[in-house]
Amino acid sequence: MTSYNSNSKLAQLERQLPQGQWSTGLFDCLDDRSNCLLTCFCPCITLGRIAEIVDRGTTSRRMASLNSYAMGSIGCGWLYSGKYRAKLRAMFSLPEEPCGDFVLHGCCCIFSLCQEYRELKNHGIDPSIGWQANVEKWNREGIKPPIVESGMDR
């Protein structure tokens, strides 16, 4: 029964999310105050968490955070973070709005990262625990992962 209830809850969540649209607005940062605060002071940590999930565990959050910090220190952090916004959008078929991914990360990096983090959470993924822990949670609860493997259809 737990498996059915968990799958039912995830299916219900997926139905509630607007198809082909962001589940929250760019400036809704205060919807998740703790992540907003973390992202304001340590955006590289938030990006590391997002990157690990978007790359399905092939990139560790520590390595992504380090890369983000290094790229940011030479003024090119928007290139690295914009790449992950584009990947996340492709993963959930989201529009490139209100402007391009790289422009958005160049001008509104904190807002962008917070929105991406919330999007993952709204799809039933907890970026703070990492990819492997999410997979273990989904397996334990008998839930089909909300992220479809490349080349597979939903």
Side-chain angles (χ1 to χ4, degrees):
M1 276 297 193
T2 304
S3 162
Y4 173 76
N5 290 337
S6 296
N7 281 330
S8 176
K9 287 177 186 174
L10 185 61
Q12 213 173 30
L13 174 69
E14 289 290 327
R15 277 194 301 271
Q16 291 173 355
L17 292 176
Q19 293 291 23
Q21 296 177 13
W22 291 91
S23 60
T24 62
L26 183 63
F27 302 111
D28 294 338
C29 293
L30 296 179
D31 287 357
D32 185 345
R33 292 174 194 267
S34 62
N35 181 58
C36 180
L37 190 61
L38 174 69
T39 305
C40 282
F41 291 103
C42 302
C44 55
I45 291 175
T46 300
L47 179 61
R49 291 175 175 182
I50 292 168
E52 182 177 14
I53 299 298
V54 170
D55 282 345
R56 297 175 174 91
T58 60
T59 301
S60 76
R61 76 179 90 179
R62 288 180 182 93
M63 185 54 70
S65 294
L66 182 61
N67 287 339
S68 173
Y69 181 78
M71 294 288 287
S73 68
I74 60 171
C76 297
W78 57 274
L79 286 171
Y80 191 68
S81 56
K83 173 179 84 167
Y84 281 102
R85 184 174 180 90
K87 286 183 174 186
L88 183 128
R89 279 189 324 90
M91 186 180 296
F92 296 120
S93 301
L94 300 170
E96 189 174 17
E97 63 182 25
C99 57
D101 300 325
F102 297 100
V103 172
L104 204 54
H105 271 273
C107 298
C108 305
C109 184
I110 302 303
F111 294 112
S112 300
L113 288 171
C114 287
Q115 183 185 35
E116 294 156 22
Y117 192 90
R118 287 190 312 274
E119 192 68 30
L120 289 171
K121 287 183 78 172
N122 290 341
H123 279 275
I125 303 164
D126 183 357
S128 68
I129 64 173
W131 175 254
Q132 190 59 42
N134 274 290
V135 170
E136 290 169 5
K137 181 182 84 166
W138 297 326
N139 289 337
R140 208 174 32 253
E141 296 174 358
I143 295 175
K144 181 182 170 191
I147 297 177
V148 179
E149 290 296 325
S150 299
M152 295 178 68
D153 296 325
R154 281 197 143 180

